[in-house]
Amino acid sequence: MSEGIVPLRRRDQARSALDRVDANAVKLLVAGQATSLQAARAGIILADLREQREQMTAVLADLRGREPSGNAQIDEANANLITAINDGIVQIDLFIAQAQVFLEAKP
């Protein structure tokens, strides 16, 4: 646990995404489910990335399953959304691959 200091917040303070990652990472570390705070953080971030990918894949499937509306602007917006979601999924896949390499490199 000497890899980093986890700042504690009062309960009434808003939590950022990093605060949530740190809090969950400490729980994994305390439970013995991670070998270090850094590995626990990476595992939490990897799980978050996979969840976001699943959500984006579901939205993509919904958009692809829709029939053309007949309204050119709506159909163009849907096509642009499909492209943006595909790009987002590709980026998430790259982040997941990098996280997996990082986790495998850790003892």
Side-chain angles (χ1 to χ4, degrees):
M1 263 178 55
S2 62
E3 290 183 24
I5 297 173
V6 180
L8 299 177
R9 307 269 190 260
R10 293 188 346 216
R11 289 188 188 268
D12 60 339
Q13 288 180 318
R15 290 177 51 182
S16 71
L18 290 176
D19 291 338
R20 186 192 55 75
V21 168
D22 280 345
N24 289 332
V26 168
K27 288 177 187 175
L28 287 179
L29 194 58
V30 168
Q33 296 175 334
T35 57
S36 69
L37 183 58
Q38 191 174 20
R41 285 175 174 152
I44 296 295
I45 292 169
L46 184 58
D48 287 349
L49 287 169
R50 287 181 174 141
E51 181 180 333
Q52 290 172 359
R53 188 186 193 291
E54 287 177 22
Q55 291 171 357
M56 290 178 77
T57 301
V59 171
L60 182 61
D62 177 61
L63 281 171
R64 284 186 172 159
R66 294 181 183 186
E67 295 292 325
S69 69
N71 181 318
Q73 288 179 323
I74 292 174
D75 292 340
E76 181 181 356
N78 284 342
N80 290 337
L81 283 171
I82 288 171
T83 300
I85 292 169
N86 278 326
D87 291 346
I89 290 172
V90 167
Q91 288 300 310
I92 289 174
D93 286 343
L94 290 172
F95 291 142
I96 288 172
Q98 289 173 341
Q100 289 172 328
V101 167
F102 175 79
L103 284 174
E104 290 169 3
K106 287 295 176 187

